Amino acid sequence: EPEVTQTPSHQVTQMGQEVILRCVPISNHLYFYWYRQILGQKVEFLVSFYNNEISEKSEIFDDQFSVERPDGSNFTLKIRSTKLEDSAMYFCASSENRYEQYFGPGTRLTVT
Amino acid sequence: GIQVEQSPPDLILQEGANSTLRCNFSDSVNNLQWFHQNPWGQLINLFYIPSGTKQNGRLSATTVATERYSLLYISSSQTTDSGVYFCAVEVWGAQKLVFGQGTRLTINP
């Protein structure tokens, strides 16, 4: 069964550094998303992406985040100037029809 | 924005018991999904159920969209059912899922 993959599974970075999280959505899916989950909290939406454009973004997105689809298979999330409070699990998701979303296994980001 | 409330927040059961998890939402939705977050943090799709009833093995779900709630039923619980169950909804016109706080289910042997 096709699945969303994410790399790396765990990333440790120092405060102030930039990180790039990578995702490979399911191959025939056209809608892509990033979410994050701070430890012990609920999953929160960051951004949705369709047809090489951002469809919707959260209030915090512009402060530190950007997304790219650098080729036909990858979808990346860049976090600029990381802060301690950016430590979280970051999930990529994709959807074929803009409805049911399939989530990847997540990247655990630790900012020290 | 839409509010999503899940109950109960915590549930502890013995293996073999049945359980019902509830999700209430404050606005009309065009998407509702149930997820199981396993101990490794992965979000596993259980159901895509904006309305109606679905069953998959020991799990079933019902969404009554007009009354703005969804129920997840787990029968004959197993220890592997332990974890956090999330309900997530998407309102018409939006392109994002809004998650509830989750129900933490613990199944003891």
Side-chain angles (χ1 to χ4, degrees):
Chain A
E1 185 176 326
E3 56 185 24
V4 177
T5 60
Q6 292 185 240
T7 55
S9 57
H10 190 193
Q11 172 97 42
V12 180
T13 190
Q14 288 191 325
M15 203 165 46
Q17 297 297 304
E18 175 182 286
V19 296
I20 296 176
L21 310 182
R22 291 180 169 79
C23 168
V24 178
I26 295 173
S27 63
N28 64 330
H29 287 190
L30 301 176
Y31 299 86
F32 314 120
Y33 310 82
W34 284 101
Y35 294 82
R36 75 176 182 183
Q37 183 183 31
I38 295 170
L39 187 64
Q41 298 186 20
K42 66 179 179 180
V43 180
E44 64 172 335
F45 167 79
L46 290 176
V47 66
S48 56
F49 190 86
Y50 170 72
N51 200 25
N52 291 319
E53 289 186 351
I54 290 174
S55 307
E56 189 164 349
K57 56 188 176 182
S58 69
E59 291 178 355
I60 66 169
F61 184 81
D62 283 339
D63 295 343
Q64 277 186 274
F65 300 92
S66 60
V67 289
E68 261 193 351
R69 188 155 164 81
D71 55 44
S73 58
N74 289 283
F75 181 50
T76 64
L77 177 72
K78 182 187 292 185
I79 310 174
R80 299 182 293 273
S81 189
T82 50
K83 300 178 283 192
L84 294 176
E85 52 265 40
D86 294 326
S87 295
M89 182 79 100
Y90 288 80
F91 292 102
C92 172
S94 71
S95 176
E96 180 182 12
N97 53 15
R98 232 213 79 191
Y99 295 112
E100 188 170 11
Q101 294 183 26
Y102 293 84
F103 281 67
T107 292
R108 185 169 299 282
L109 177 66
T110 302
V111 183
T112 61
Chain B
I2 190 169
Q3 302 299 310
V4 183
E5 295 182 1
Q6 293 186 241
S7 59
D10 292 279
L11 188 57
I12 300 174
L13 298 171
Q14 291 298 120
E15 202 167 20
N18 301 329
S19 57
T20 301
L21 282 58
R22 187 176 180 101
C23 172
N24 291 333
F25 43 96
S26 61
D27 203 348
S28 299
V29 300
N30 67 338
N31 182 3
L32 188 146
Q33 293 184 239
W34 282 98
F35 298 89
H36 175 214
Q37 187 165 41
N38 64 22
W40 296 270
Q42 295 178 323
L43 286 168
I44 310 300
N45 282 45
L46 297 178
F47 293 103
Y48 165 69
I49 187 165
S51 63
T53 298
K54 289 187 178 180
Q55 180 155 5
N56 184 4
R58 296 181 296 104
L59 274 62
S60 64
T62 294
T63 297
V64 183
T66 53
E67 297 187 22
R68 300 182 183 170
Y69 73 89
S70 183
L71 301 173
L72 177 69
Y73 304 98
I74 305 173
S75 64
S76 303
S77 300
Q78 301 175 357
T79 55
T80 51
D81 294 331
S82 295
V84 182
Y85 288 79
F86 288 103
C87 165
V89 303
E90 183 177 72
V91 298
W92 293 94
Q95 290 196 38
K96 63 180 182 182
L97 286 173
V98 176
F99 281 73
Q101 291 279 13
T103 291
R104 180 174 298 279
L105 177 65
T106 302
I107 304 297
N108 291 321

